[in-house]
């Protein structure tokens, strides 16, 4: 038997050793390949993270302008105040000889147990004093000694930050108490257009309104500043630093017109207070030819700069609740009220449009040649057509009698519209219902637009068609309704409502503009002209919308009142109502359309003709001249024009008399002098040309004799004028200026109040309103 030699054994061992060495080096090379090639980026990032500190730089959020380049939203500098617990504790030197377990023990201590660092105490006291933060909270943050950044407070104003910076300098607290300049959104007009603009949250992102819709364009792109330190914590050379600049956000120009927005909000506030609305009021104004939203508002509104602060009206509701302020129920109610306050009623809530929808029914009937303007209908106060489940009442229970189609629409006669809908037919009616956009959203560039609530065609029968004809038993948004009405105003075209006009850079260069949709025509121009004339005639005479009359302008309008079938008053007997009015003007060439809706009026009168139409009129009276639309007065309007009285004091009595007679005003001379020494009414007053009297005094100061202001409340025009003249006073008319139409206009306010002692000739301002509306 042969045995292997010692030499052979040595060769085997050598081979094994070489193989092991080769395998070891292969593994080492493989590992190095993984580290330096495959995972190079990963480990490089770890090293960079250890050696570098990256600080984000905030871009300027884009500004928001109105259509005339008035600044609505911009940015202001605020400061984030933060501490470096690591530096407060002494920095690297303080921890050189302390192990990790000792550091963890310190961090686990409560504020009162930890070693009393004099710098931490100094900083905590000053922050509590100037920033209103809790002392113990600052001390607890100061014990997190591994950290270099613990926020104490955000959004600190520059004045307070400057005081803290001086404190840092005076006490040698550099790197311990630090400041970071940041941008905070600032809204130039606080509450104005709050439901259009929205606001930004603590992270700078848009919440609600255009701030949310266009957030990705407005917010810009953050930059960063990278600094490097060596293993000992010392700054490395400049070549190891880098800076990536932030890209500012795009500026947004919206279609809102500041002046029109301001006037709309004034009228909404007045309507809210007049009607004691229980569920807010809203309004919107649109260019009927383009769909541009000129104004949109809800009242009560909120302050965009303090969006989490409840408006006074909501705060009253919160404070009157039965919950304890510290309870969960109280917190939940407050949160609910805040969300309700933010909600844009124009696009995010639905309502039954009531008789304002009769414009749509009438337009379909005229377009389909289902009726003629002079076709006659009979109204007995109710109507029950074939297939109706029950008789349906008219708002005028005594009935309108026999009326033409035009007259029936002006008087808002329900039976006239029900019979008209029967002529149209269900299939055709529903086709137009869809075409007007009631079964879809409008597509406005605002968040949270909701769909309407309506029957499918298959679920509609004779009764549903009848009540749909006058705007009941279905719900839509106010925006849907005004968009549909605009199609009548512009000659039959459906437009897309929008608030974005264009985007611009910081130099004013236009980046992009809103592109108008190809408008879809659903009505002929002839139909729209005929219908507009009917509506305008009703406003100018004794129609249901006569409170929307504006002197010098032809206004096409329709009022409406609807019942809330799902909400009743406190007694559970009477449903709450919604009063609204839609209008566009001038009727011959509409340039502006407006809707005002009053939800749950509780002041005693709930009809749209009373709670909404007067405020539409006041709005248009201010908006139309602002838009450069000149008034065109009728002969009767010219006869009742008001004249502004100039300053006649110091003038020769003959010259003063000539001045007044040239303006078709009468005057009475008091005294035997030749020079006017005093006048009533005073300079700047306005008088009606048909009965205005100016008293000119020529002997010293005004006499002491006075007259008593009569009680004019509830009086009609004739009675009011008679009392004023007999009392040797002047009258100035406000409100419904077509007060002479019929005898339904009554005085709802007067100034000075009844019983006041005034000089003869004093101007008494009265406001008339037609109070006969039941629609």
């Amino acid at each position: 038997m042969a045995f292997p030699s010692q030499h052979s054994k040595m060769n085997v061992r050598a081979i094994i050793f070489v193989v092991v060495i080769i395998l070891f080096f292969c593994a080492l090379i493989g590992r190095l390949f993984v580290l330096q090639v495959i995972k190079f980026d990963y480990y490089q990032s770890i090293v960079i993270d250890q050696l570098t500190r990256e600080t984000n730089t905030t871009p300027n959020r884009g500004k928001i302008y109105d259509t005339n380049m008035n600044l609505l939203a911009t940015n202001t500098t605020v400061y984030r105040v933060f501490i470096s617990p690591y530096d407060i504790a002494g920095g690297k030197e303080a921890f050189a000889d302390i192990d990790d377990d000792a550091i963890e023990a310190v961090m686990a201590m409560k504020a009162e147990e930890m070693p009393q660092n004099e710098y931490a105490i100094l900083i905590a006291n000053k922050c509590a004093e100037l920033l209103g933060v809790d002392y113990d909270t600052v001390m607890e943050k100061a014990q997190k000694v591994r950290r270099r950044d613990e926020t104490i407070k955000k959004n600190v104003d520059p004045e307070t930050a400057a005081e803290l910076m001086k404190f840092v300098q005076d006490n040698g607290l550099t790197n311990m108490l630090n400041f970071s300049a940041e941008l905070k959104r600032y809204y130039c007009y606080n509450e104005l257009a709050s439901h259009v603009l929205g606001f930004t949250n603590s992270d700078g992102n848009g919440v609600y309104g255009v701030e949310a819709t266009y957030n990705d364009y407005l917010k810009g792109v953050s930059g960063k500043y990278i600094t490097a330190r060596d293993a000992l914590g010392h700054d490395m050379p400049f070549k190891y630093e880098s800076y990536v600049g932030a890209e500012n956000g795009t500026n947004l120009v919206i279609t809102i017109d500041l002046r029109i927005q301001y006037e709309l909000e004034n009228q909404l506030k007045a309507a809210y207070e007049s009607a004691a609305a229980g569920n807010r009021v809203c309004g919107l104004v649109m260019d009927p030819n383009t769909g541009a939203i000129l104004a949109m508002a809800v009242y009560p509104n909120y302050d965009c700069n303090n969006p989490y602060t409840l408006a006074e009206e909501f705060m009253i509701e919160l404070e009157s609740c039965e919950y304890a302020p510290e309870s969960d129920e109280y917190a939940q109610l407050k949160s609910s009220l805040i969300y309700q306050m933010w909600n844009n009623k124009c696009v995010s809530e639905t309502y039954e449009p009531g008789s304002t929808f009769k414009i749509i029914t009438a337009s379909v009937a005229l377009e389909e040649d289902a009726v003629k303007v002079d076709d006659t209908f009979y109204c007995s106060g109710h109507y029950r057509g074939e297939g109706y489940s029950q008789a349906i009442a008219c708002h005028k229970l005594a009935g309108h009698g026999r009326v033409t189609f035009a007259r029936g629409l002006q008087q808002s006669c329900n039976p006239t519209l029900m019979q008209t809908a029967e002529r149209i037919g269900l299939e055709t009616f529903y086709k137009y219902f869809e075409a007007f956009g009631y079964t879809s959203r409008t597509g406005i560039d605002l968040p949270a637009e909701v769909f309407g609530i309506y029957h499918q065609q298959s679920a509609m029968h004779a009764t549903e068609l009848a009540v749909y004809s006058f705007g009941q038993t279905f719900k839509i948004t106010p925006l849907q309704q005004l968009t549909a009405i605009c199609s009548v105003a512009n000659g039959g075209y459906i437009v897309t409502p929008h608030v974005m006009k264009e985007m611009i850079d910081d130099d004013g260069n236009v980046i992009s503009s809103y592109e108008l949709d190809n408008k879809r025509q659903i009505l002929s121009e002839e139909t729209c002209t005929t219908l507009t004339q009917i509506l305008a005639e009703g406003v100018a005479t004794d129609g249901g919308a006569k409170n929307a009359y504006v002197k010098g302008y032809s206004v096409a309008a329709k009022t409406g009142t609807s019942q809330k079938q799902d909400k009743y008053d406190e007694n559970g007997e009477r449903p709450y109502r919604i009063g609204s009015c839609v209008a566009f003007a001038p009727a011959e060439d509409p340039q502006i359309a407006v809707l005002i809706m009053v939800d749950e009026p509780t002041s005693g009168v709930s009809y749209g003709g009373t709670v909404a139409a007067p405020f539409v009129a006041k709005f248009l009276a201010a908006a139309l001249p602002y838009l450069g639309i000149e008034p065109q007065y009728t002969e009767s309007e010219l006869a009742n024009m008001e004249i502004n009285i100039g300053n006649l004091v110091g003038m020769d009595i003959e010259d003063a008399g000539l001045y007044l007679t040239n303006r078709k005003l009468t005057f009475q001379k008091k005294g035997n002098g030749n020079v006017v020494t005093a006048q009533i009414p005073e300079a700047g007053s306005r008088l009606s040309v048909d009965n205005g009297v100016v008293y000119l005094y020529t002997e010293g100061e005004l006499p002491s004799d006075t007259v008593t202001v009569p009680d004019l409340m509830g009086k009609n025009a004739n009675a009011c004028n008679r009392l004023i003249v007999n009392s040797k006073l002047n009258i100035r008319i406000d409100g419904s200026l077509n007060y002479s139409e019929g005898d339904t206009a009554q005085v709802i306010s007067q100034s000075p109040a009844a019983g006041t002692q005034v000089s003869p000739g004093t101007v008494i301002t009265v406001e008339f309103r037609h109070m006969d509306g039941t629609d």
Side-chain angles (χ1 to χ4, degrees), residues 98-219:
I98 302 178
D99 60 25
D100 290 345
D101 290 339
I103 294 175
E104 294 295 338
V106 172
M107 295 178 64
M109 292 180 182
K110 295 181 179 179
E112 61 270 15
E113 297 173 346
M114 69 180 296
Q116 294 299 296
N117 183 307
E118 62 180 31
Y119 292 122
I121 295 172
L122 187 64
I123 291 171
N125 277 320
K126 196 65 176 180
C127 287
E129 174 191 344
L130 292 182
L131 302 180
V133 295
D134 182 63
Y135 171 88
D136 289 338
T137 300
V138 179
M139 292 299 291
E140 288 175 6
K141 291 186 175 185
Q143 77 186 51
K144 299 178 181 179
V145 293
R146 287 187 184 275
R147 295 182 57 80
R148 296 175 185 267
D149 188 332
E150 280 291 317
T151 298
I152 301 302
K153 190 172 183 179
K154 292 182 177 182
N155 295 329
V156 177
D157 62 82
E159 293 76 15
T160 303
E163 192 170 347
L164 276 174
M165 291 176 187
K166 185 176 184 302
F167 166 75
V168 169
Q169 185 177 2
D170 292 345
N171 293 276
L173 301 176
T174 303
N175 294 331
M176 300 182 200
L177 182 59
N178 306 294
F179 308 86
S180 173
E182 298 178 341
L183 294 175
K184 180 184 178 182
R185 200 61 160 167
Y186 176 73
Y187 300 91
C188 305
Y189 298 94
N190 298 319
E191 300 93 351
L192 194 70
S194 57
H195 288 89
V196 176
L197 294 174
F199 55 93
T200 57
N201 60 20
S202 59
D203 296 324
N205 289 315
V207 180
Y208 289 90
V210 293
E211 290 278 27
T213 301
Y214 295 101
N215 184 63
D216 290 344
Y217 298 95
L218 290 165
K219 69 181 181 180

Side-chain angles (χ1 to χ4, degrees), residues 23-69:
L23 292 174
F24 173 77
F25 275 102
C26 287
L28 180 61
I29 292 171
R31 181 60 179 164
L32 289 174
F33 181 80
V34 170
L35 294 175
Q36 296 190 12
V37 179
I38 296 177
K39 292 191 174 182
F40 173 80
D41 292 338
Y42 170 74
Y43 287 106
Q44 183 187 50
S45 66
I46 293 178
V47 174
I48 290 175
D49 287 343
Q50 292 174 342
L51 297 179
T52 62
R53 177 181 294 181
E54 182 177 300
T55 303
N56 289 330
T57 58
T58 305
N60 287 328
R61 188 172 178 86
K63 298 176 181 178
I64 301 177
Y65 298 90
D66 86 331
T67 190
N68 297 314
M69 295 305 293

Side-chain angles (χ1 to χ4, degrees), residues 23 54 89 112 191 213 355 373 377 456 459-460 484 542 582 591 710:
L23 292 174
E54 182 177 300
E112 61 270 15
E191 300 93 351
T213 301
S355 292
V373 173
F377 298 83
Q456 295 296 323
M460 288 187 68
D542 65 343
V582 295
Q591 300 298 310

Side-chain angles (χ1 to χ4, degrees), residues 546-563:
K546 52 184 172 290
N547 274 329
Y549 171 85
V550 181
K551 182 182 288 188
Y553 296 96
S554 179
V555 176
K558 185 74 187 73
T559 58
T561 308
S562 59
Q563 296 181 347

